Amino acid sequence: MAKLYFRFGAMNSGKSTGLLQAAYNYEERGQRVLLAKPSVDTKGDREIVSRLGVTRTVDVVLPADADVRAAVADAGATDPESDRLDGMVRPVSCVLVDEAQFLTPRQVDDLLRVAVLDDVPVLAYGIRTDFRTEAFPGSRRLLEVAHSLEELKTICRCGRKAVFNARKVDGRFVFDGSQVAIDGVDVTYESLCANCYLTESGGRLDGEIAV
């Protein structure tokens, strides 16, 4: 039976780079992969963008109301290489999902079904918590149902392991606002350890004042 894997880490921990490397490893062995990401991740439009500068167009973009299992099946039913292979459609050997924290819990359940019922391994990459240290719904569900959990590590500016994703607006840390704000020109993020996060937030966690 195939498995659902959740590989998570703070921002700048190499999640997208790891996903693209996994895709390369499968394809180097002649196997077919499908790449997917939620539509709410507008960075790069239809591309997965690694901070190392590597990009790749995804096969499936998933709106919040998408049936993920059906979308994967539809994408797998056609093969861009079929003309070269005399019309043959290659089976999908792996599904790779970037920014999986933006999936809905129901969509995560769909990924589990793809792995268990369709026997296709699923590798989901994402972050656990938002800038207020609260879990994204998709990440929470992945932590609950994934067969395998792997933390991808990165370091804080102080040298400790970074675990939180602090949001900056116009270069200043902010601790209030909507859960989703895509990294870009005005909004950026910095990965911090718990100590540095609490220092910048004045002791705040989850939007509350520490007692």
Side-chain angles (χ1 to χ4, degrees):
M1 181 185 73
K3 295 181 179 180
L4 170 60
Y5 300 82
F6 182 34
R7 295 176 176 172
F8 61 89
M11 297 185 75
N12 300 309
S13 60
K15 297 180 297 299
S16 296
T17 301
L19 182 154
L20 295 172
Q21 180 65 52
Y24 174 82
N25 291 344
Y26 271 94
E27 292 173 336
E28 189 179 34
R29 291 159 178 78
Q31 297 177 315
R32 182 186 177 196
V33 299
L34 289 181
L35 275 61
K37 75 172 190 176
S39 62
V40 69
D41 176 35
T42 55
K43 184 177 181 179
D45 193 19
R46 290 187 59 91
E47 292 187 326
I48 292 174
V49 180
S50 163
R51 293 182 187 275
L52 295 183
V54 182
T55 63
R56 175 164 169 171
T57 302
V58 299
D59 303 287
V60 184
V61 175
L62 300 166
D65 61 351
D67 181 324
V68 174
R69 189 180 179 199
V72 168
D74 288 345
T78 59
D79 187 348
E81 295 291 315
S82 61
D83 290 342
R84 186 176 64 84
L85 300 171
D86 297 324
M88 181 183 73
V89 176
R90 298 168 297 163
V92 175
S93 297
C94 184
V95 176
L96 298 151
V97 184
D98 198 30
E99 305 293 355
Q101 71 272 7
F102 296 138
L103 297 173
T104 67
R106 183 174 181 177
Q107 290 176 325
V108 172
D109 291 347
D110 283 344
L111 293 180
L112 182 66
R113 294 185 181 98
V114 170
V116 175
L117 302 180
D118 302 331
D119 200 29
V120 178
V122 179
L123 279 61
Y125 293 76
I127 59 178
R128 288 184 301 174
T129 59
D130 64 16
F131 72 110
R132 295 172 300 189
T133 74
E134 297 174 336
F136 285 96
S139 299
R140 182 184 296 114
R141 190 61 178 150
L142 280 161
L143 291 168
E144 292 169 343
V145 303
H147 295 92
S148 176
L149 304 174
E150 179 184 350
E151 183 178 15
L152 305 177
K153 298 178 178 62
T154 189
I155 60 171
C156 176
R157 62 194 181 191
C158 69
R160 299 184 181 95
K161 185 179 82 168
V163 292
F164 296 136
N165 307 292
R167 179 182 292 174
K168 288 182 172 181
V169 175
D170 296 327
R172 299 182 64 180
F173 286 107
V174 297
F175 299 92
D176 295 294
S178 61
Q179 185 174 57
V180 177
I182 304 302
D183 190 13
V185 176
D186 297 323
V187 176
T188 59
Y189 293 88
E190 183 177 345
S191 303
L192 299 176
C193 69
N195 184 71
C196 288
Y197 183 94
L198 289 169
T199 298
E200 293 293 346
S201 71
R204 295 180 65 177
L205 288 172
D206 298 328
E208 299 293 334
I209 302 298
V211 178

